[in-house]
Amino acid sequence: MSQPVDPTQSLERLEGQRWPEPPPEDATSLVRAVHELRRRPVGDLRPDELARLITQDVGLPWLLPLAVRILRGTAPSQIAGRWYDDDLLYAVVTRKTQVWEQFPELARELKATVETLVDLSRYVREEAAAFCAAVPEESSCPMHTT
């Protein structure tokens, strides 16, 4: 079940866990970015920042609902031929089946959104199709893999 999201809180606050600073020898730009993004209010994160955290499986109980809300809210623009955030969509639909088993209603909401999209790039279309195929129709059924 997804957590209620207070957009003014950081992932550190929501999780109740502060990560120690990474040792300088391990501090790649990705590591530094993830550490910094965990300290910012989740409501201030841009779609590309959400995608970066989600692809690292960081803060999923709080970030997946935000990402699905963004994707759902921007789907009508994509259908009308405007730009759509493929990176955020890719980050979300490529989470492991086990992640989505924890959020079945959110998975079905995302599936309904994805099924309305048109003109996705090939790599995103393939991952989105695999995601949709794995989402069960009923909430009591676990996701199946394709």
Side-chain angles (χ1 to χ4, degrees):
M1 179 169 289
S2 62
Q3 303 290 322
V5 180
D6 177 351
T8 66
Q9 298 297 310
S10 67
L11 284 174
E12 284 189 343
R13 295 285 305 257
L14 292 166
E15 293 176 343
Q17 184 180 59
R18 180 167 167 74
W19 289 1
E21 290 299 320
E25 63 272 9
D26 294 335
T28 64
S29 61
L30 175 62
V31 169
R32 284 191 306 273
V34 168
H35 278 254
E36 188 272 323
L37 293 172
R38 287 188 78 252
R39 294 184 186 115
R40 294 202 7 232
V42 295
D44 291 349
L45 298 173
R46 298 183 317 258
D48 63 302
E49 295 167 332
L50 286 170
R52 177 168 265 188
L53 289 166
I54 290 169
T55 58
Q56 297 301 309
D57 292 322
V58 172
L60 296 181
W62 295 275
L63 300 182
L64 285 176
L66 291 174
V68 170
R69 185 177 335 141
I70 289 169
L71 294 168
R72 184 184 64 229
T74 56
S77 295
Q78 190 270 353
I79 296 163
R82 295 191 200 105
W83 179 82
Y84 194 70
D85 196 330
D86 278 0
D87 292 335
L88 182 57
L89 178 61
Y90 184 85
V92 172
V93 298
T94 57
R95 295 310 84 214
K96 293 182 177 170
T97 301
Q98 296 85 345
V99 169
W100 289 108
E101 286 174 346
Q102 298 172 46
F103 311 104
E105 291 177 23
L106 193 60
R108 282 190 300 283
E109 182 179 339
L110 178 60
K111 178 181 178 181
T113 299
V114 167
E115 289 174 339
T116 68
L117 301 175
V118 295
D119 289 334
L120 294 174
S121 62
R122 185 184 55 129
Y123 79 99
V124 175
R125 184 175 54 245
E126 291 170 357
E127 294 294 346
F131 167 81
C132 288
V135 176
E137 295 301 319
E138 297 180 24
S139 62
S140 61
C141 298
M143 287 182 66
H144 56 81
T145 56
T146 55

